[in-house]
């Protein structure tokens, strides 16, 4: 039975961690994710969970400890943000290549420089090719729900890959929202017990973890990671369906909001999706068929599903909350057009960059983007690609 409460996104994730009660959690504090290990350590001190909390000297050490604990057979997780994730880079690749189902809760924050502590997706998008599954939340409820689903996804025998559960720094991590919390027993039943088939502390079946791989074997290991990432798409769908059946909410790879007959669709991730939905609602009242495709899962990238969802609209705005410095946008602005092209879809695409380092993205900003989509689809205006939404100076200076 769901219980109504009010929590920040950090509080919601910490509450989910308490309910899952992982075996080991190494962590090092960094804004804006500091509250998560702080709250978890308080739960442990109060006797509400028996997770082994390991205070470490850096984020590199926290992921190293998580890798070691997971390899030893313990359900393990950690939390970080921004530069902390960057300091983990080496170990992110180690966790994925060793096929260790570690869960990382990431509170998105821009990577320096210039120095800034506010939200964009440059940290997680920088790690997009490390072999981790990536799941994004629009609000506190989804941050809570996504974390509960992360372990069944990661630990599935068809997957065995680490999962990064992302939420927007300060916007969701510190904002208090209404939320539905589930009973501890129901969450524990949903997540289940972790019984790895192979682990280091099994004296009857010795194994090696992380050995040097010569050229004759390394390429095959990379292929197996990719094959597992592809398989994880179906597992994510299955876990989402079970979650909906048990708790009555959620979706799998993405949410289609008023897209069934939309002429103009905005593809976006994270907390700004709410502004996009509000703009779509207001434009619908004016007779404009606007819709929003909110991407939940970025890795594995749902190329075929996105292409199908965008196949009937006249134009789509692809919204990146980070920059790739390639001249035409961020990671989504590369992958979405490629998905459409590879699947034979000729929908008009305009790439945008928004919300860098916490820059506001408002309902009026979203409405302006929809207006430009309408003009571009009608041939009345030639919209330049890679536009910065809300830029205070002229682009190009």
């Amino acid at each position: 039975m769901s219980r109504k409460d009010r929590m920040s996104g950090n509080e919601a994730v910490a509450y989910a961690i308490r309910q899952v009660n992982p075996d080991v959690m190494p962590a090092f504090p960094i804004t804006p994710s500091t509250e998560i290990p702080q709250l978890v350590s308080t739960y442990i001190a109060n006797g509400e969970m028996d997770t082994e909390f390991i205070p470490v000297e850096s984020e590199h050490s926290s992921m190293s400890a998580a890798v070691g604990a997971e390899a030893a057979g313990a359900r393990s997780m950690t939390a970080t943000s921004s530069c902390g994730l960057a300091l983990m880079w080496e170990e992110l690749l180690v966790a994925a290549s060793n096929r260790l189902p570690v869960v990382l809760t990431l509170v998105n924050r821009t990577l320096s420089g210039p120095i800034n502590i506010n939200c964009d997706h440059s940290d997680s998008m920088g790690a997009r090719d490390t072999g981790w599954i990536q799941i994004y939340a629009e609000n506190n409820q989804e941050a809570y729900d996504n974390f509960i689903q992360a372990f069944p996804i990661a630990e599935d025998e068809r997957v065995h890959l680490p999962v990064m559960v992302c939420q927007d720094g300060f916007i969701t991590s510190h904002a208090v929202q209404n939320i539905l919390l589930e009973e501890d027993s129901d969450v524990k039943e949903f997540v289940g017990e972790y019984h790895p088939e192979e682990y280091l502390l099994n004296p009857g079946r010795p194994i090696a973890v992380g050995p040097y791989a010569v050229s004759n074997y390394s390429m095959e290991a990379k292929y197996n990671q990719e094959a597992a990432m592809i398989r994880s798409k179906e597992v994510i769908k299955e876990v989402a369906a079970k979650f909906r059946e048990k708790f009555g909410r959620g979706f799998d790879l993405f949410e289609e909001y008023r897209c069934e007959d939309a002429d103009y669709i905005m593809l976006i991730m994270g907390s700004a999706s709410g502004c996009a939905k509000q703009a779509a609602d207001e434009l619908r009242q004016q007779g404009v068929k606007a819709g929003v495709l909110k991407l939940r899962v970025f890795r594995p990238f749902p190329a075929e599903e996105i292409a199908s969802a965008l196949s009937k609209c006249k134009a789509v705005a692809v919204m990146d909350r980070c920059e790739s410095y390639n001249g035409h946008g961020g990671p989504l602005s590369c992958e979405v057009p490629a998905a459409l092209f590879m699947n034979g879809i000729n929908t008009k695409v305009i790439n945008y960059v928004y919300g860098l380092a916490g820059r506001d993205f408002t309902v009026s900003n979203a409405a302006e983007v929809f207006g430009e989509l309408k003009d571009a689809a009608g041939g009345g205006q030639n919209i330049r690609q890679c536009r910065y939404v809300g830029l205070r100076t002229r682009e190009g200076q």
Side-chain angles (χ1 to χ4, degrees):
M1 184 72 177
S2 300
R3 174 174 64 84
K4 294 181 179 180
D5 208 325
R6 296 170 65 195
M7 286 184 169
S8 70
N10 281 347
E11 289 174 321
V13 169
Y15 194 87
I17 294 170
R18 182 193 65 77
Q19 293 181 304
V20 173
N21 195 26
D23 299 313
V24 178
M25 181 180 176
F28 188 84
I30 182 170
T31 302
S33 66
T34 298
E35 287 180 319
I36 295 175
Q38 174 191 345
L39 290 165
V40 170
S41 63
T42 301
Y43 283 134
I44 295 170
N46 291 341
E48 297 179 65
M49 57 189 297
D50 57 9
T51 298
E52 184 70 28
F53 186 87
I54 307 175
V56 292
E57 67 273 17
S58 73
E59 291 86 356
H60 186 281
S61 297
S62 68
M63 183 52 67
S64 296
V67 165
E70 191 73 48
R75 177 180 275 166
S76 306
M77 64 149 301
T78 188
T80 196
S81 297
S82 184
C83 307
L85 186 70
L87 190 56
M88 292 178 178
W89 235 252
E90 174 190 11
E91 297 302 317
L92 294 178
L93 291 152
V94 170
S97 64
N98 284 330
R99 307 294 298 279
L100 300 174
V102 178
V103 171
L104 166 66
T105 176
L106 178 73
V107 182
N108 286 111
R109 168 188 146 189
T110 190
L111 279 169
S112 299
I115 296 172
N116 184 282
I117 63 167
N118 296 308
C119 173
D120 65 31
H121 296 157
S122 55
D123 49 3
S124 56
M125 283 296 162
R128 65 188 179 274
D129 295 332
T130 55
W132 284 60
I133 294 168
Q134 289 191 349
I135 304 176
Y136 289 78
E138 176 187 348
N139 50 43
N140 302 3
Q141 184 72 64
E142 289 180 13
Y144 172 78
D145 295 350
N146 287 347
F147 185 85
I148 292 171
Q149 294 175 63
F151 284 103
I153 294 168
E155 294 166 0
D156 190 283
E157 63 181 7
R158 295 164 290 177
V159 179
H160 261 267
L161 289 173
V163 175
M164 194 177 296
V165 181
C166 306
Q167 65 167 313
D168 285 354
F170 296 107
I171 302 170
T172 63
S173 67
H174 285 61
V176 174
Q177 297 178 355
N178 293 331
I179 189 172
L180 292 175
L181 301 172
E182 305 305 329
E183 297 291 341
D184 292 357
S185 58
D186 289 336
V187 171
K188 285 181 169 55
E189 180 185 22
F190 181 84
V191 174
E193 298 291 332
Y194 181 43
H195 300 290
E197 182 180 355
E198 306 281 1
Y199 54 99
L200 285 172
L201 297 184
N202 183 357
R205 192 168 180 171
I207 60 169
V209 175
Y212 176 75
V214 296
S215 300
N216 289 347
Y217 296 98
S218 188
M219 192 168 176
E220 284 69 23
K222 294 294 184 184
Y223 173 80
N224 285 334
Q225 281 183 251
E226 167 65 3
M229 184 66 76
I230 293 171
R231 290 194 299 270
S232 73
K233 192 186 296 185
E234 288 305 314
V235 175
I236 291 167
K237 292 179 180 179
E238 290 173 11
V239 172
K242 291 177 183 177
F243 191 89
R244 282 194 301 273
E245 182 180 357
K246 189 172 185 65
F247 301 119
R249 59 181 181 270
F251 48 92
D252 43 64
L253 303 175
F254 49 75
E255 176 189 4
E256 295 179 85
Y257 184 80
R258 309 195 76 161
C259 287
E260 61 282 349
D261 63 342
D263 291 330
Y264 317 105
I265 294 177
M266 181 178 292
L267 188 149
I268 195 166
M269 294 195 308
S271 59
S273 306
C275 292
K277 292 176 183 177
Q278 179 66 31
D281 288 342
E282 294 178 3
L283 288 168
R284 286 278 178 166
Q285 293 175 3
Q286 301 169 27
V288 179
K289 293 182 178 180
V292 177
L293 192 154
K294 181 184 74 179
L295 191 59
R296 177 187 183 232
V297 177
F298 180 73
R299 285 287 184 270
F301 189 71
E304 296 84 2
E305 293 84 354
I306 287 175
S308 176
L310 300 178
S311 62
K312 295 182 176 62
C313 69
K314 295 178 181 178
V316 56
V318 178
M319 311 296 293
D320 273 294
R321 199 161 194 163
C322 70
E323 175 62 271
S324 285
Y325 306 107
N326 57 21
H328 62 265
L332 283 171
S333 296
C334 296
E335 302 219 17
V336 174
L340 295 174
F341 177 81
M342 294 298 289
N343 287 277
I345 305 300
N346 196 33
T347 301
K348 176 77 173 179
V349 176
I350 303 176
N351 301 330
Y352 292 86
V353 174
Y354 76 99
L356 300 187
R359 178 66 57 87
D360 285 341
F361 180 76
T362 65
V363 175
S364 60
N365 291 144
E368 289 173 7
V369 170
F370 276 118
E372 291 182 351
L373 280 185
K374 186 178 179 182
D375 289 340
Q381 186 177 353
N382 185 22
I383 307 298
R384 188 169 65 83
Q385 292 286 354
C386 192
R387 294 171 61 81
Y388 273 55
V389 177
L391 194 67
R392 292 192 297 106
T393 56
R394 286 182 295 173
E395 294 174 87
Q397 289 188 338

